[in-house]
Amino acid sequence: MTLLNLTLTGCIGPRPQVPAASAVVPPPAWRTALGNGEPIRADWWSAFGDPVLTRLVGQALADNVDLAAAASRIDEARAAARLARAQQTPTLGGNLPSTTGQTVSPFGTPSDAIGAQPAVTASYDLDLFGRLRQASRAAQAQLLASEGARDTVRLAIASGVATNYVTLRALDLRLAVAQQTLAARTEALRIARRRAEAGYTSNLELRQAEAEYRATQQLVPAAQLAISRQENALSLLLGTNPGPIPRGLPLDRLLAPAIPDGLPADLLRRRPDLFQAEQTLVAADRTLDSARAAMLPNLALTGSAGVVLSTALANPIGVFSVGASILSPIFDGGRLRAQSDVATARRDQAAFAYRRTALVAFQEVDNALAGVQRSGEQAVALGLQVDALAAALRNASNRYRAGYTSYIEQLDAQRGLLTAELALVQARADRITAYVALYQAMGGGWSRDDVAATQR
């Protein structure tokens, strides 16, 4: 059942209007060409071109604890739906009462008699006003909502693994930058110490070189600590004990997947959290109908059939009974009315929650699209800055060795290059994680047919 363009009507009392997707205008960037127009596969994490990442996502989808818990909640909802359907079927039962007594005959003496009266009983609620039918439909909608919740967890797990893996590779690159810079600082400290011992420079330059070496040295254990924590976070998503995580491609070799030229707003219908909110609203609506039907009279049919068996009777005697009962509340202290009001409030809450979910979906897609575009521009600019600072450092080092400038000029160039290199690593990681966020915001991928169908 699709609710994005539906206004709920048909029950007593006013109902809030369910927001239509077209009522929320998508941002202009949705129609901007950010890629070459190729479709994105449902297994979108493989588009980054890293087989290790693909294997890690598959392991997480198989062993994650939260996903297993979501599957158990589906089993619970499925059992509740079966129970609700069973309430609409007739109830059959049987009994076998036995009796022991005496019989008195006018032509003889009293004698002992043993008797039994097996019988089958049946009852059926006609459900004239749909109380049970609406309750069954509500349970079925709750089942669909629980399946949407499971798919939301699956999407979040896949996105979490991809994001944490990209962060881990970024930390690996930060550690490599820190180690390379530390090696350069070691060489600079050696030169500064030799020059100070020879009397070419003062001890000030030696202390400055030593301080810069120590400042870079502390970056290495900090990066190693962050890597250990990131590996433990990934292990939790994978459903395993903390331990090392295998590596695949380095961060700068991960592919930037293609994005279709235009992303229609109707693709948001694929989001599992939006489907979950939709089915929760349907379930609340059916529950309200069931609560209101409970205030109306109820008609039930009952019947029984059996035989009387006794040693005092020559032949069994067949017996049966058929009856009906009408039950209608007369005075219940307002219980049924209060239950209806509770159901109404919960239905209204579900409607507004659905509206908020749709608005959040637009926000997340717009943020992810902006992240992909702007972080890419930032990475390009930072790459050019790193090249310029590397050239400046080479010039400053040559001038310092030739004795034309002081050590502070080379020191400033070293600091600027380290800062720019770390910022470039972060920008590249932000760009890849923006792609991951986009896939998650759009419901986990789509095909060319999906895009064409929503554009017709």
Side-chain angles (χ1 to χ4, degrees), residues 341-360:
D341 293 342
V342 169
T344 300
R346 290 177 177 172
R347 189 278 320 277
D348 296 347
Q349 295 170 22
F352 293 122
Y354 178 79
R355 174 184 175 85
R356 186 182 186 282
T357 303
L359 294 175
V360 169

Side-chain angles (χ1 to χ4, degrees), residues 13-304:
R15 296 192 175 191
Q17 183 175 355
V18 178
S22 58
V24 185
V25 180
W30 282 34
R31 299 294 178 178
T32 302
L34 295 179
N36 58 8
E38 292 297 323
I40 298 176
R41 296 179 297 179
D43 55 341
W44 49 266
W45 49 85
S46 62
F48 295 108
D50 193 334
V52 174
L53 173 59
T54 301
R55 187 169 68 251
L56 291 176
V57 173
Q59 179 181 349
L61 294 180
D63 300 333
N64 185 269
V65 178
D66 293 333
L67 190 57
S72 65
R73 286 191 289 271
I74 290 180
D75 294 337
E76 178 185 1
R78 186 175 292 112
R82 291 200 307 268
L83 178 61
R85 288 194 301 269
Q87 299 294 330
Q88 304 177 70
T89 61
T91 301
L92 298 176
N95 54 38
L96 184 61
S98 60
T99 60
T100 302
Q102 289 186 337
T103 59
V104 180
S105 173
F107 305 102
T109 59
S111 61
D112 295 332
I114 299 175
Q117 188 176 340
V120 176
T121 60
S123 62
Y124 179 62
D125 192 332
L126 293 182
D127 194 24
L128 296 178
F129 300 99
R131 174 178 56 87
L132 298 179
R133 289 193 301 274
Q134 296 299 336
S136 177
R137 292 172 182 173
Q140 185 65 30
Q142 285 290 0
L143 173 59
L144 295 177
S146 63
E147 292 177 349
R150 177 207 54 196
D151 294 340
T152 301
V153 174
R154 286 177 56 88
L155 181 57
I157 289 172
S159 302
V161 171
T163 300
N164 280 271
Y165 181 79
V166 171
T167 303
L168 179 61
R169 300 306 285 142
L171 291 174
D172 291 337
L173 191 53
R174 288 177 66 91
L175 177 60
V177 169
Q179 291 173 337
Q180 293 172 2
T181 306
L182 182 61
R185 297 289 193 275
T186 303
E187 179 64 17
L189 178 60
R190 186 188 64 82
I191 295 174
R193 180 176 290 111
R194 187 179 62 182
R195 290 170 63 91
E197 292 174 351
Y200 293 125
T201 60
S202 64
N203 288 330
L204 175 61
E205 291 187 359
L206 175 60
R207 298 310 176 190
Q208 288 175 333
E210 185 177 0
E212 195 65 20
Y213 170 80
R214 299 303 178 187
T216 307
Q217 188 181 36
Q218 60 87 26
L219 294 177
V220 174
Q224 291 172 339
L225 174 60
I227 288 174
S228 298
R229 291 176 174 174
Q230 194 66 27
E231 287 180 328
N232 293 339
L234 259 175
S235 298
L236 179 61
L237 287 174
L238 298 177
T240 61
N241 293 324
I245 299 297
R247 302 321 198 253
L249 297 178
L251 179 64
D252 53 357
R253 291 183 55 191
L254 292 177
L255 301 179
I259 299 177
D261 293 333
L263 297 178
D266 287 343
L267 281 175
L268 285 182
R269 297 178 187 272
R270 299 173 57 88
R271 283 178 60 116
D273 60 338
L274 192 60
F275 176 76
Q276 177 186 358
E278 177 182 295
Q279 294 303 318
T280 301
L281 177 56
V282 172
D285 197 48
R286 302 307 184 195
T287 301
L288 176 59
D289 292 340
S290 178
R292 287 176 172 173
M295 294 185 291
L296 301 175
N298 188 36
L299 176 62
L301 300 178
T302 59
S304 64

